[in-house]
Amino acid sequence: MERELGARLFERTSRVRLTPAGAAFLPAARQCLDAAERAAAEVAAAIGEVRGRLAVGLIPTVAAVDIPGALRDFRRQYPRVRIDLRVGASDDLIEQVREGAIDVAFLGLPTTARPQGVAVHELARDRLVAVVAPDHPLAAETLVDLRRLSSEVFVDLPAGTAGRIQSDQAFAAAGLDRDVAFEVTSADYIARLVGPGLAVAMLPAAYAPQLTGVVTVEVTDAPARVEYVIWSRAGRTPASTAFLAVLGIPAHTGD
């Protein structure tokens, strides 16, 4: 390969490393391998066999779909497909779908946003609820509003992420400031900080029942979010088409 290209791709010392030419060559090489894999999958699909790879991405708080159950059902029907699963932030997952690194992704975005550059199907809409410690004064309440919550110390996802923006926008629209003293990347860790009373949080109502050791309270003026499933505009692979069919999403959706 190096002779054909007329350039060294690797530095071979005690460790093998890519040269600048090798780093430049790598993305195109990966695209070629992906194209060959997809071509083989398309040929197999033409004779009625689904195989290849299914790369799925999701946010930790996805609640509209039982992902483990769907993957179990898919594997039973299509045992020759390798399943890869990645958890990340919505914005990162959208980019990975655009680049072809992920076939299907499940997102949660504020109602003011919609995934761009990908095929989109809306799954569900949900409102956020307050999440507090069992001994917090709000735990005995049935309703709370953003003004009351603004006096609390918060734990939330990192600033700028889709899961954080929906709450930031809601407080800003109400003319309120809040103190986000703890920033974490995991909803489970949010609950671990809320439980001992270190902070309060706001999480999707459909996801919150999965948490233990905390209490949820409805927020009268809570922000909402939309859950989506997305895939490449370039088209579905046979595996992703089969997986979306398991979820009951027809082939003609996605505009």
Side-chain angles (χ1 to χ4, degrees), residues 68-87:
L71 292 176
R72 175 202 60 210
D73 294 343
F74 177 81
R75 173 169 283 173
R76 286 174 178 170
Q77 292 184 49
Y78 306 103
R80 298 200 63 180
V81 177
R82 172 187 168 84
I83 300 172
D84 295 335
L85 183 66
R86 305 177 191 179
V87 177

Side-chain angles (χ1 to χ4, degrees), residues 24 34-35 53 61 70 133 137 140 142 159 164 188 220 228 245 249:
D34 289 343
R53 182 196 73 149
T61 58
T142 57
R164 167 76 173 271
D188 288 340
T220 56
Y228 297 99
I249 298 173

Side-chain angles (χ1 to χ4, degrees), residues 37-191:
E37 181 180 354
R38 179 161 183 164
E42 295 285 358
V43 170
I47 58 173
E49 180 183 359
V50 178
R51 66 184 188 188
R53 182 196 73 149
L54 173 69
V56 178
L58 72 155
I59 57 171
T61 58
V62 62
V65 174
D66 175 11
I67 303 296
L71 292 176
R72 175 202 60 210
D73 294 343
F74 177 81
R75 173 169 283 173
R76 286 174 178 170
Q77 292 184 49
Y78 306 103
R80 298 200 63 180
V81 177
R82 172 187 168 84
I83 300 172
D84 295 335
L85 183 66
R86 305 177 191 179
V87 177
S90 292
D91 292 339
D92 292 338
L93 295 175
I94 293 169
E95 185 61 28
Q96 290 183 63
V97 169
R98 287 196 202 106
E99 294 175 349
I102 289 178
D103 299 308
V104 178
F106 298 86
L107 321 170
L109 296 177
T111 56
T112 55
R114 184 175 174 85
Q116 300 298 313
V118 293
V120 182
H121 177 74
E122 182 176 321
L123 293 169
R125 293 184 175 234
D126 193 14
R127 290 171 62 84
L128 303 193
V129 293
V131 184
V132 302
D135 59 354
H136 191 283
L138 288 175
E141 302 293 330
T142 57
L143 293 172
V144 67
D145 60 18
L146 293 178
R147 182 167 296 280
R148 170 64 182 85
L149 286 172
S150 67
S151 64
E152 300 288 336
V153 174
F154 274 80
V155 54
D156 209 330
L157 299 171
T161 59
R164 167 76 173 271
I165 287 173
Q166 55 203 358
S167 295
D168 286 346
Q169 288 178 341
F171 280 96
L176 300 170
D177 294 321
R178 64 171 179 150
D179 178 12
V180 182
F182 303 91
E183 290 190 351
V184 300
T185 58
S186 164
D188 288 340
Y189 209 84
I190 286 177

Side-chain angles (χ1 to χ4, degrees), residues 213-229:
V214 296
V215 174
T216 61
V217 184
E218 185 177 345
V219 181
T220 56
D221 47 354
R225 78 161 184 177
V226 186
E227 288 194 21
Y228 297 99
V229 58

